[in-house]
């Protein structure tokens, strides 16, 4: 299955929120939808889920307009939406039946996931008796119990301790291995890098960059060097403003151009005691900062 968003546009009054958003995601792979608050991520997700329509563009499955009666979507929202004073099993069954499941079928699926997530002991408890992390796991069950084709996870690791984060990682990997389309929206770049093959970074309602993460990194301008040395202070003093010290003690050297790498490497290794020198490869966080900057809208779109 291939999901495509093609030229999605959306305005609220005179405010243009989405300016022709296009990207695609495939079964058995995770896709990261990234951007600062106000970039248009939530609006994009709501259009994908048919919460409201777009002003232009199309949502396609395998090249044809999506049929929401046949394509099941599971959604874990950033803003949690369960009922704090209701019994957990009752509301889980309620949400599963909203997705078209029969009661017996829903209860069987829910019990599987409660057991899988170590939550069976809370089955008949009220939601507000649980910790924030355990409430998050219950919210996750509402997103996946009906066996959706597309799983949308908005800040899924928020509020989870390391043990529960590891458990959620296993569940996400399981969903991907089943051939689901998994769509991540998160500001935690380490999780995006761990799970996602491809990303789209939104900035001001438009796609700033989109594609395979490894390809994006390979195409990044290779005009910086990373140096580790006991003589870092001397190196920095000698190079001046083109050199800055990173938090981990390494030096980051900005070159005049990519073709200056070899010359700078030879100069440094000749003049100083160098422990390590290499071309700087950006992390996803570096790429996000570069492509998401300069747009800081007050409200979340």
């Amino acid at each position: 299955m291939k999901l495509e968003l093609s030229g999605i546009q959306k305005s609220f009054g005179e405010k243009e929120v989405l300016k022709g958003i296009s990207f695609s995601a495939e079964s058995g792979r995770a896709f990261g939808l990234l951007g600062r608050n106000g970039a248009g991520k939530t609006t994009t997700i709501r259009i994908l889920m048919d919460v409201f329509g777009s002003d232009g563009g199309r949502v396609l499955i395998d090249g044809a307009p999506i049929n929401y009666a046949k394509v099941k979507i599971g959604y874990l929202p950033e803003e949690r939406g369960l009922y704090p004073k209701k019994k957990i099993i009752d509301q889980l069954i309620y949400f599963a039946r909203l997705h078209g499941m029969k009661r017996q079928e829903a209860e069987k699926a829910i019990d599987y996931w409660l057991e899988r997530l170590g939550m069976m002991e809370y089955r008949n408890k009220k939601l507000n008796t649980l910790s924030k992390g355990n409430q998050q796991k219950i919210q996750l069950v509402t997103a996946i119990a009906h066996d959706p084709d597309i799983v949308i996870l908005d800040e899924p690791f928020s509020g989870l301790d390391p043990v529960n984060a590891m458990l959620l990682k296993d569940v996400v990997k399981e969903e991907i291995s089943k051939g689901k389309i998994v769509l991540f929206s998160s500001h935690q770049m380490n999780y995006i890098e761990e799970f996602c093959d491809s990303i789209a970074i939104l900035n001001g309602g438009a796609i700033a960059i989109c594609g395979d993460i490894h390809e994006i990194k390979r195409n990044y301008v290779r005009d910086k060097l990373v140096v580790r040395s006991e003589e870092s202070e001397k190196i920095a003093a000698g190079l001046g403003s083109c050199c800055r010290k990173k938090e981990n003690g390494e030096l980051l050297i900005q070159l005049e151009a990519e073709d200056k790498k070899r010359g700078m490497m030879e100069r440094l290794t000749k003049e100083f005691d160098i422990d390590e020198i290499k071309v700087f490869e950006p992390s996803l966080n570096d790429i996000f900062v570069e492509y998401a900057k300069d747009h800081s809208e007050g409200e979340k779109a």
Side-chain angles (χ1 to χ4, degrees):
M1 180 184 289
K2 184 176 182 180
L3 167 69
E4 293 178 83
L5 273 69
S6 177
I8 300 296
Q9 299 173 326
K10 185 65 179 178
S11 295
F12 295 105
E14 296 182 357
K15 182 177 176 60
E16 188 179 17
V17 176
L18 300 181
K19 305 170 184 177
I21 300 296
S22 297
F23 63 82
S24 63
E26 298 184 7
S27 296
R29 304 184 75 188
F31 184 93
L33 184 63
L34 312 177
R36 296 171 68 178
N37 290 343
K41 303 185 304 297
T42 302
T43 301
T44 301
I45 289 170
R46 287 173 178 168
I47 288 172
L48 167 58
M49 294 177 60
D50 200 32
V51 174
F52 47 66
S54 65
D55 298 330
R58 298 186 297 169
V59 179
L60 307 171
I61 292 290
D62 295 332
I66 186 170
N67 183 341
Y68 289 100
K70 294 183 178 180
V71 178
K72 294 183 289 183
I73 298 177
Y75 179 44
L76 176 68
E78 180 180 5
E79 302 297 332
R80 311 311 176 208
L82 297 180
Y83 301 102
K85 296 183 179 181
K86 295 292 184 181
K87 192 185 296 185
I88 287 168
I89 185 60
D90 291 343
Q91 54 183 314
L92 287 178
I93 289 174
Y94 169 73
F95 282 110
R97 295 195 70 184
L98 287 179
H99 286 290
M101 298 184 81
K102 295 179 180 178
R103 183 180 181 87
Q104 188 173 2
E105 176 190 21
E107 195 163 351
K108 182 179 179 181
I110 289 163
D111 282 346
Y112 166 80
W113 283 111
L114 289 176
E115 185 71 38
R116 177 80 170 76
L117 295 170
M119 298 295 291
M120 276 298 282
E121 64 182 289
Y122 304 108
R123 187 180 189 273
N124 294 301
K125 303 281 188 182
K126 292 181 179 179
L127 188 72
N128 61 3
T129 64
L130 274 60
S131 67
K132 183 178 179 181
N134 282 337
Q135 289 186 30
Q136 172 80 330
K137 290 195 282 186
I138 295 300
Q139 183 86 54
L140 177 64
V141 176
T142 68
I144 58 179
H146 60 292
D147 194 25
D149 304 296
I150 301 170
V151 181
I152 302 171
L153 304 172
D154 194 350
E155 297 293 355
F157 295 96
S158 176
L160 295 183
D161 60 47
V163 174
N164 281 326
M166 185 65 69
L167 182 59
L168 179 54
K169 284 183 185 181
D170 291 340
V171 170
V172 171
K173 290 174 182 175
E174 183 178 318
E175 292 298 286
I176 293 171
S177 70
K178 290 177 181 177
K180 308 294 180 71
I181 295 173
V182 177
L183 188 67
F184 269 95
S185 178
S186 180
H187 291 114
Q188 294 173 288
M189 297 298 135
N190 55 319
Y191 291 123
I192 296 294
E193 274 199 281
E194 181 173 353
F195 289 109
C196 297
D197 302 290
S198 300
I199 59 166
I201 298 178
L202 275 63
N203 192 332
I207 298 285
I209 190 169
C210 183
D212 180 273
I213 292 176
H214 300 295
E215 286 295 324
I216 290 172
K217 286 186 175 183
R218 275 196 292 269
N219 292 329
Y220 206 84
V221 179
R222 300 172 69 81
D223 62 351
K224 298 182 183 71
L225 296 178
V226 176
V227 176
R228 188 164 53 84
S229 171
E230 293 296 323
E231 298 184 287
S232 59
E233 298 297 334
K234 290 182 181 179
I235 297 171
L239 293 178
S241 61
C242 71
C243 177
R244 68 175 178 85
K245 197 167 188 177
K246 299 170 67 179
E247 290 182 3
N248 62 4
E250 294 176 340
L251 297 177
L252 183 65
I253 300 170
Q254 176 66 60
L255 303 171
E256 293 178 5
E258 286 190 69
D259 60 6
K260 303 293 185 180
K261 291 193 296 288
R262 182 184 295 274
M264 179 61 77
M265 285 179 172
E266 290 176 351
R267 173 188 167 186
L268 291 174
T269 53
K270 183 178 180 179
E271 296 181 11
F272 302 98
D273 181 16
I274 301 297
D275 295 323
E276 182 182 17
I277 186 167
K278 60 185 179 181
V279 176
F280 170 74
E281 181 177 283
S283 67
L284 183 56
N285 191 70
D286 295 321
I287 293 168
F288 177 83
V289 169
E290 177 172 343
Y291 284 94
K293 62 186 177 184
D294 295 332
H295 287 271
S296 54
E297 300 177 35
E299 287 187 295
K300 183 175 182 181

